[in-house]
């Protein structure tokens, strides 16, 4: 049966939304690296401002998504708090920390490994099956990251290992969030779940700043405030919203390949705006990562 014009138009809109969401999210590392160029700026301050400016949007989204819905049980609230802690607070904080030591290009490639981590954790914890093509795809992806890591380690020094480890923890935390969310999203709803978890993570990040920093640490240059607003709205609220809308129209499997634009956009903007080097090693490593993730996701689909 051929698709109707209405269905074709809906798929095109969904793919456009997925593309825009991936492109917007790719700017996050760029804005963070630009903010680090100013004195008195660290990961705790940047994350606090990002979450502070994003919080009103997610509270509004959560209120709208919760209207007329059944209240959450204690078990549901525990799961939401766990997801907020792992998927948004720990993942974001370790990511921001890691960006102090590595390029935006390497950071984005490491984060893009999260589908392989979801598969591995599903296999270890829930005995989910992994196919040979998925194993091959994972090996190709990790080989690509290792190539870029080795080249950056040689050029930038030993701190690259620390940054890589922190961003790897970030990807692992986000993968754990996705694994848990898959078992609760049908009961709570995707928009309600994301907005509640993100709102709670915002409070975690703001509390971390208040407990570890004097209030004077919030006095940063105005360009940092502007970059934080962009990070909160353009790189957090908008991508989350666009991705949810796209998934509702075309499904996660069809939207997954469009996510390939994310690493490419980050690498391109890192070269243009951050003067990061573009080498044959980076080109080869990126190609391996994208091919490996595509193979892995294609088998899952």
């Amino acid at each position: 049966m051929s698709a109707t014009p209405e269905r074709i138009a809906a798929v095109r809109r969904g793919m456009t939304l997925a593309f825009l969401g991936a492109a917007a999210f790719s700017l996050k590392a760029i804005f963070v690296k630009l903010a680090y160029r100013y004195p008195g700026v660290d990961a705790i301050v940047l994350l606090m401002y990002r979450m502070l400016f994003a919080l009103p949007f997610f509270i509004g989204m959560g209120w709208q998504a919760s209207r007329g819905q059944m209240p959450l049980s204690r078990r549901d609230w525990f799961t939401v708090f766990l997801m907020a802690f792992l998927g948004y607070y720990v993942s974001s904080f370790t990511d921001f920390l890691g960006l102090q030591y590595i390029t935006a290009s390497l950071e984005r490639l490491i984060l893009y490994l999260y589908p392989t981590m979801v598969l591995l954790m599903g296999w270890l914890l829930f005995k989910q099956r992994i196919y040979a093509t998925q194993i091959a795809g994972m090996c190709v992806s990790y080989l690509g990251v290792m190539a870029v890591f080795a080249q950056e380690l040689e050029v930038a020094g030993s701190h690259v290992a620390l940054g890589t480890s922190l961003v790897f923890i970030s990807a692992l935390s986000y993968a754990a969030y996705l694994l848990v969310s898959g078992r609760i999203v049908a009961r709570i709803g995707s928009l309600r779940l994301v907005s509640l978890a993100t709102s709670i993570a915002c409070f975690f990040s703001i509390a971390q700043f208040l407990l570890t920093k004097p209030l004077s640490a919030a006095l940063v240059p105005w360009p940092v405030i502007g970059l934080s607003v962009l990070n909160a709205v353009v790189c957090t609220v908008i991508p989350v919203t666009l991705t949810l809308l796209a998934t509702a129209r075309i499904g996660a499997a069809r939207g997954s390949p469009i996510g390939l634009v994310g690493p490419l956009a980050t690498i391109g903007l890192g070269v243009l705006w951050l003067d990061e080097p573009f080498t044959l090693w980076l080109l080869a490593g990126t190609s391996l990562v994208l091919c490996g993730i595509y193979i892995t996701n294609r088998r899952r689909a």
Side-chain angles (χ1 to χ4, degrees), residues 219-301:
L219 300 176
V220 295
W222 280 108
V224 176
I225 301 296
L227 289 168
S228 297
V229 172
L230 290 174
N231 209 332
V233 179
V234 176
C235 308
T236 306
V237 176
I238 290 178
V240 167
T241 305
L242 292 179
T243 301
L244 289 173
L245 292 173
T247 303
R249 286 167 170 78
I250 61 177
R254 184 175 288 177
S256 180
I258 303 174
L260 297 174
V261 71
L264 297 176
T266 301
I267 292 170
L269 292 172
V271 173
L272 292 175
W273 292 359
L274 303 175
D275 296 323
E276 294 183 353
F278 185 80
T279 64
L280 290 177
W281 280 106
L282 177 59
L283 178 61
T286 302
S287 300
L288 289 172
V289 171
L290 298 185
C291 289
I293 296 299
Y294 176 77
I295 293 170
T296 303
N297 284 343
R298 184 182 181 188
R299 186 62 185 84
R300 290 178 68 191

Side-chain angles (χ1 to χ4, degrees), residues 72-112:
L72 301 184
S73 65
R74 289 185 179 181
R75 183 176 180 180
D76 289 337
W77 275 116
F78 174 80
T79 304
V80 170
F81 268 86
L82 178 63
M83 293 170 60
F85 183 76
L86 290 176
Y88 290 105
Y89 169 67
V90 172
S91 181
S92 296
F93 181 52
T94 52
D95 181 35
F96 276 44
L97 280 176
L99 278 168
Q100 295 179 105
Y101 307 106
I102 62 176
T103 62
S105 302
L106 178 57
E107 179 259 5
R108 195 68 180 90
L109 291 180
I110 297 170
L111 289 182
Y112 206 63

